[in-house]
């Protein structure tokens, strides 16, 4: 069940990140999910380092760190994917 939750959380974080980033992203859904999963892992590491990984109730700080990490990774992943595939950006 851990892997299933990781995929679901990665998908949700990746889709939110794509919605927040301005413009159209050219990365496929599978790459969005993987980058969202990596963002969740990176956000957890930052939250643990900041000392806010386990709080009473909902861990808003941890989720915020996860979302910021996912936004950064999806943005960088889109640039790398576009450069690799030769996709032209339209304004």
């Amino acid at each position: 069940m851990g892997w299933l939750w990781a995929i679901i959380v990665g998908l949700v974080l990746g889709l939110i990140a794509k919605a927040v980033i301005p413009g159209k992203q050219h990365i496929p859904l599978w790459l969005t999910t993987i980058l969202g999963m990596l963002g969740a892992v990176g956000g957890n590491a930052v939250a643990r380092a900041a000392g806010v990984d386990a709080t009473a109730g909902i861990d808003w700080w941890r989720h915020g760190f996860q979302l910021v990490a996912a936004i950064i990774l999806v943005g960088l992943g889109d640039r790398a994917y576009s450069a690799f595939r030769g996709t032209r950006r339209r304004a």
Side-chain angles (χ1 to χ4, degrees):
M1 286 300 287
W3 283 104
L4 179 62
W5 278 113
I7 292 170
I8 292 169
V9 168
L11 176 64
V12 170
L13 282 174
L15 291 176
I16 292 172
K18 282 181 83 167
V20 170
I21 297 172
K24 181 176 177 3
Q25 290 77 42
H26 300 91
I27 59 176
L29 185 61
W30 64 268
L31 187 55
T32 303
T33 303
I34 290 173
L35 293 172
M37 290 170 60
L38 291 174
V41 171
N44 282 340
V46 171
R48 190 174 304 116
V52 293
D53 59 331
T55 59
I58 299 174
D59 294 330
W60 292 112
W61 283 104
R62 181 173 56 100
H63 297 314
F65 286 131
Q66 289 175 337
L67 183 58
V68 169
I71 290 170
I72 292 169
L73 288 175
V74 168
L76 292 174
D78 179 52
R79 286 184 176 262
Y81 187 80
S82 295
F84 179 73
R85 300 287 289 174
T87 307
R88 292 184 183 179
R89 292 184 177 257
R90 295 183 182 178

